[in-house]
Amino acid sequence: MTRKARGERTIRLERSPKLDGIGIFSVRAGTTRAYYVLHEIPCAIGGRGFAVHRLGLGSLYHVRIGPPEDCSCECLGFLAHGRCRHILGLLALARRDKI
Ligand SMILES: [Zn+2]
């Protein structure tokens, strides 16, 4: 059994966006799991752009992923810390060629 770091998050693709452009992923943190809808949108300023919407809450974030200088998000976490779960999650899925 592997030791889990405190605060570790795992992301799982629930529905591939490769079929029709709409994907669903979930992020587990501890015992809670949140579900997000994602949709890739055109991005003319570098990186890949995504609209990310957390199911049940109504917050819509526009997220860009790519090289570090091309990563951005509209959420408070990114504004405060320069990184957030949305960027980290989408980067992880893109690295695995899931999106
Ligand atoms: Zn974010």
Side-chain angles (χ1 to χ4, degrees):
M1 188 168 166
T2 56
R3 184 173 161 270
K4 298 259 180 190
R6 186 177 157 91
E8 179 182 348
R9 297 176 191 279
T10 59
I11 186 166
R12 185 169 75 196
L13 190 67
E14 308 285 351
R15 180 183 195 278
S16 174
K18 293 185 175 179
L19 299 172
D20 57 8
I22 304 295
I24 299 173
F25 66 91
S26 65
V27 175
R28 185 179 64 75
T31 57
T32 63
R33 180 176 291 277
Y35 291 83
Y36 298 84
V37 177
L38 74 86
H39 175 58
E40 187 156 11
I41 55 178
C43 181
I45 57 173
R48 294 171 68 188
F50 293 89
V52 176
H53 181 257
R54 183 172 171 179
L55 287 178
L57 285 188
S59 300
L60 173 67
Y61 303 118
H62 292 96
V63 185
R64 281 193 313 138
I65 60 167
E69 67 273 17
D70 285 333
C71 289
S72 65
C73 184
E74 299 173 320
C75 75
L76 291 176
F78 181 81
L79 292 175
H81 307 292
R83 59 190 162 77
C84 69
R85 70 182 73 177
H86 310 110
I87 290 172
L88 293 175
L90 292 184
L91 282 173
L93 290 175
R95 270 198 303 272
R96 289 183 242 152
D97 199 31
K98 300 275 192 183
I99 58 173

